Amino acid sequence: MSVFFAQLRRDLLIAIRDRSEAANPIAFFLLAVLLLGLGLGRDAGTLGPGAIWVLALFANVLAAEGLFRRDHEDGTLEQMLVRARPLFPAVLGKLAAHWLLAGLPLAALSPLAVFFLHGSMAGATPLCGTLLLGTPILAALSAIGAALTVGTGRGGMLLAILVMPLYVPVLVFGVGAAKAADGAAFAQLMLAAMLVAALTTAPFAVGKALSISQEY
Amino acid sequence: MSVPFLVAEGVSCVVATRCLFRDLNITAGGGDLVEIRGANGSGKSTLLRGLAGLHVFHTGRLRRHVDFEYLGHRAGLGERLTPVENIRWLLRMRHQRVDVHAVDAAMIRLGLHGAADELCATLSAGQQRRAALARLVVSDAPLWLLDEPLTALDPSGVDLVRRLVAEHRASGGAVICATHANIAAQERTSHEIVLGQ
Amino acid sequence: MGLGSWAKRAFHRTGSPRWFFAGSRRWMIGLYTLGIALILVGSIWGLGFVPPERYQGDSFRILFVHVPAASLAQTMYIAIAVAGLVYLVWRMKMAEMLIAAAAPIGMAVTAAALATGIIWGMPTWGKGWVWDARTVSTLVLLLLFFGLQALRQAIAHPERAALAVSLLAVVGVVNIPIIKYSVEWFTTLHQPPSIEIGKRPTIASVYLWPLAVNALGYYCFVAGVVIAALRVRIVEREANAEWLRSWLAKQER
């Protein structure tokens, strides 16, 4: 546990000192909502929760891009791999910090996005709830991609290609759960199951990908 | 004799189609200093990273029986944290308790007491190197793996590293060090491994 | 000699590029010949001698290409992921080379499955693309194959690239069933009632036999292509090895 909290504390401390970078995903999300509203004009009112979910996916991928880059460059990543025994809580701490900075704010801001697009708050609560369940899964999946691409110098496009196909189930069940339609309860259940699966298995994949990135 | 801290038997490493080293044997126990020498590109860093477990050797067996400190080319200091915060994180990662007084003493010993509360980004290259070395003073790991520890240090810094290594050996620790310079000072080196022959 | 030690020896021999290179030529030629023969038999049978389907007329005959391609695409991704796991655990060089050789071929096969599916869909469904579970999962599979290639090229160090690609393949294969399941769930909710593709019609045995022959033919042929690509990889990777030089010298004589 102490490893988990040490990592969480460290990443949050860095985020507080570099507030503007931490705020980027939020600003991006609002910007995307703005562009969607302008691009669709009056049609924006007919959009379902799917539109906001898709924006959240994009914001998530962009936020994950730099997740390990600085740690890789200054050597903290190799220290983490050499020291943390086991690696799992350290990676989980990193994921938790990442979700608090880039996942939770999106879920929290989603009612605002609904308000902008529809002019009312109808459907905001289930959307916010499903984003709360879904964004940790997205964070875990995108961390795998970020760990695989760390040190390549390639940006978000590569990361998006690697992890977006894996987002398909999260999007499908997330949108399904946010809609007041048949199968919403089932989709919520699936989302919760995927959350548990992601949190228990993804840190292993992230750890493995990180140690691969430091070979040679 | 007691159990050695680290035993590497017949390790080798191939990068692409080039063989860096083959069938190397390294043993380090209490009081030992193993110096790894060789020209640029001869595989010194790769060997040390392998000993630290950062990559898998192509052949051979590696056994470590104790905790260790690894100090590579990259300092392992977050630039938006102070040296003290960095050391706290480094120790906590390995479940070592953080003794505030010991950390302060280490800062003073490395000549960083004025910079202990500044962000690492604002430190000079030599100061960053000193901040990286500070972890050796507070760490309770018996084995040190050092990759070119004298880089960017001024003469007093070089002296300090030699003294740290000598003290560590005297207190029963072991050091494996890749270097071009002489780390052992007046004392003898236990083993010398020359790569690229 | 027990079965266990035999399996162990076979594992190590297959793991040796040299042994594989020497022994695989016969396999390659055999698979090519068998594959082409089976494809010829299956295709002539399927295109010329089987009665037209009741509702679709002759357009259904693309099935004899489409179904083998779609099944082969999935099999290849799973095979790549298995090789990836082997490489991650035992660092077996051949597994890594197999992934490098098979991934572009798998991507081409997946693209073929997708293209034939769209061509088939146009007369059958009235439009080339519908959000059907199978079409969507094939598109996702194509993107997963693409990701393997993109990641390999992004990482400069060859062995690091091989390890990363292996891990990505394993992560992908774990996710494929979940993706398929989610897309199936999606399409059962969104299925327009006019298009009945949700239930898969049982294939009449007149069609089943030529299809089976064709599928086997495509499997053999693609296996031959993969072995050929693998041999090229071995020559590239082992360019400095003594055994390869002496082999080449023997060929020149």
Side-chain angles (χ1 to χ4, degrees):
Chain A
M1 272 327 252
S2 75
V3 172
F4 172 83
F5 284 113
Q7 188 62 45
L8 181 66
R9 196 186 117 94
R10 177 195 154 92
D11 283 5
L12 291 180
L13 200 60
I14 290 175
I16 289 167
R17 298 213 174 127
D18 190 2
R19 282 177 289 273
S20 70
E21 191 181 346
N24 280 347
I26 303 167
F28 172 84
F29 185 61
L30 289 178
L31 180 75
V33 169
L34 169 79
L35 293 179
L36 193 66
L38 285 175
L40 291 172
R42 291 220 182 101
D43 300 338
T46 63
L47 286 175
I52 292 167
W53 254 96
V54 171
L55 295 187
L57 297 191
F58 281 110
N60 191 276
V61 165
L62 285 178
E65 190 204 328
L67 185 53
F68 300 109
R69 187 191 295 141
R70 204 174 278 159
D71 285 1
H72 169 68
E73 282 164 4
D74 64 24
T76 7
L77 193 55
E78 63 186 21
Q79 289 298 333
M80 184 171 110
L81 291 168
V82 159
R83 289 165 173 276
R85 294 282 177 280
L87 190 55
F88 190 94
V91 172
L92 202 62
K94 198 134 190 87
L95 286 184
H98 176 55
W99 178 73
L100 285 175
L101 293 164
L104 181 63
L106 297 188
L109 279 177
S110 61
L112 196 64
V114 173
F115 181 71
F116 282 161
L117 291 176
H118 300 253
S120 77
M121 294 296 263
T125 321
L127 176 67
C128 186
T130 54
L131 277 173
L132 271 178
L133 270 180
T135 43
I137 312 175
L138 298 181
L141 290 173
S142 59
I144 298 176
L148 282 169
T149 55
V150 69
T152 60
R154 301 278 179 97
M157 196 70 100
L158 176 64
L159 180 59
I161 288 168
L162 297 189
V163 299
M164 288 281 210
L166 309 181
Y167 282 2
V168 168
V170 189
L171 178 70
V172 166
F173 289 121
V175 175
K179 279 182 178 164
D182 288 350
F186 175 75
Q188 282 160 13
L189 219 62
M190 283 304 294
L191 212 55
M194 284 196 295
L195 174 64
V196 173
L199 289 186
T200 48
T201 57
F204 288 112
V206 175
K208 184 72 196 163
L210 287 176
S211 57
I212 287 171
S213 78
Q214 298 302 308
E215 292 231 358
Y216 301 99
Chain B
M1 199 192 138
S2 59
V3 185
F5 295 163
L6 176 146
V7 181
E9 285 171 340
V11 294
S12 41
C13 180
V14 183
V15 172
T17 53
R18 201 162 55 97
C19 178
L20 285 176
F21 46 83
R22 180 172 294 159
D23 287 336
L24 223 52
N25 295 306
I26 299 174
T27 311
D32 283 350
L33 166 64
V34 181
E35 287 188 329
I36 302 167
R37 298 182 179 281
N40 295 88
S42 60
K44 296 191 297 295
S45 295
T46 313
L47 175 58
L48 267 181
R49 291 176 73 80
L51 294 180
L54 281 168
H55 76 79
V56 181
F57 291 116
H58 287 90
T59 64
R61 234 154 50 116
L62 172 70
R63 277 169 299 160
R64 277 185 313 252
H65 300 288
V66 293
D67 262 344
F68 64 97
E69 283 292 333
Y70 166 76
L71 182 55
H73 287 284
R74 288 173 288 198
L77 304 169
E79 59 175 14
R80 280 173 198 273
L81 299 175
T82 67
V84 173
E85 285 163 348
N86 271 308
I87 288 176
R88 280 179 63 94
W89 175 80
L90 287 165
L91 294 179
R92 292 283 300 283
M93 276 289 113
R94 230 185 32 214
H95 307 279
Q96 192 182 328
R97 285 184 61 84
V98 181
D99 179 350
V100 182
H101 299 294
V103 173
D104 278 347
M107 286 292 136
I108 291 167
R109 175 130 199 232
L110 282 139
L112 287 171
H113 46 282
D117 294 324
E118 281 181 43
L119 297 187
C120 282
T122 62
L123 301 183
S124 75
Q127 280 178 311
Q128 288 196 8
R129 209 61 210 166
R130 281 165 180 263
L133 289 162
R135 86 184 61 146
L136 298 178
V137 180
V138 286
S139 169
D140 55 14
L143 174 65
W144 294 356
L145 305 173
L146 309 178
D147 194 355
E148 306 276 5
L150 303 183
T151 314
L153 289 176
D154 55 17
S156 74
V158 172
D159 263 2
L160 183 64
V161 172
R162 286 189 179 138
R163 253 180 293 137
L164 286 178
V165 167
E167 282 169 25
H168 185 59
R169 291 175 70 189
S171 65
V175 180
I176 301 179
C177 179
T179 179
H180 296 294
N182 182 11
I183 292 288
Q186 290 83 19
E187 295 174 58
R188 62 181 178 84
T189 304
S190 318
H191 310 282
E192 197 175 63
I193 291 163
V194 184
L195 299 180
Q197 288 185 322
Chain C
M1 194 166 75
L3 191 64
S5 68
W6 178 84
K8 204 171 172 184
R9 212 170 63 121
F11 182 82
H12 281 287
R13 279 174 118 191
T14 331
S16 141
R18 178 182 184 175
W19 184 86
F20 182 86
F21 194 78
S24 62
R25 201 181 138 83
R26 271 177 304 156
W27 279 94
M28 180 181 74
I29 294 170
L31 284 166
Y32 269 145
T33 321
L34 185 64
I36 291 172
L38 286 172
I39 291 171
L40 277 176
V41 171
S43 298
I44 293 171
W45 189 358
L47 297 184
F49 293 94
V50 163
E53 210 259 354
R54 194 159 20 135
Y55 300 109
Q56 300 181 24
D58 279 331
S59 75
F60 86 101
R61 291 179 200 273
I62 199 169
L63 154 128
F64 295 113
V65 184
H66 174 71
V67 173
S71 134
L72 197 53
Q74 285 185 27
T75 310
M76 285 186 80
Y77 195 89
I78 293 168
I80 285 173
V82 170
L85 194 64
V86 168
Y87 187 61
L88 286 175
V89 176
W90 290 291
R91 303 262 172 149
M92 187 173 163
K93 255 200 247 174
M94 282 300 296
E96 180 262 302
M97 286 194 256
L98 174 67
I99 299 173
I105 300 166
M107 193 156 96
V109 170
T110 317
L114 207 58
T116 49
I118 289 171
I119 294 170
W120 190 8
M122 281 198 269
T124 316
W125 298 333
K127 48 184 177 176
W129 183 261
V130 292
W131 292 93
D132 166 57
R134 277 163 287 162
T135 55
V136 176
S137 355
T138 311
L139 181 60
V140 171
L141 194 63
L142 183 69
L143 291 168
L144 288 175
F145 269 118
F146 187 84
L148 293 182
Q149 292 301 96
L151 184 63
R152 179 181 299 281
Q153 278 163 26
I155 301 176
H157 195 293
E159 292 194 33
R160 209 154 44 205
L163 286 165
V165 168
S166 301
L167 182 62
L168 182 64
V170 174
V171 170
V173 90
V174 170
N175 276 279
I176 282 179
I178 309 172
I179 294 172
K180 283 193 90 161
Y181 183 68
S182 74
V183 176
E184 265 165 31
W185 182 79
F186 173 82
T187 47
T188 49
L189 283 189
H190 296 257
Q191 202 68 89
S194 60
I195 305 165
E196 280 189 29
I197 47 174
K199 49 177 187 262
R200 191 195 297 249
T202 48
I203 302 177
S205 58
V206 233
Y207 305 132
L208 195 63
W209 280 107
L211 178 62
V213 170
N214 237 14
L216 193 62
Y218 278 106
Y219 268 79
C220 290
F221 184 76
V222 170
V225 177
V226 169
I227 290 177
L230 198 49
R231 288 169 63 85
V232 175
R233 284 270 152 188
I234 292 174
V235 173
E236 277 174 5
R237 280 288 301 272
E238 305 282 300
N240 289 343
E242 195 54 46
W243 65 266
L244 188 61
R245 285 185 186 182
S246 62
W247 183 83
L248 285 170
K250 226 184 288 170
Q251 296 303 105
E252 277 169 16
R253 236 184 282 132

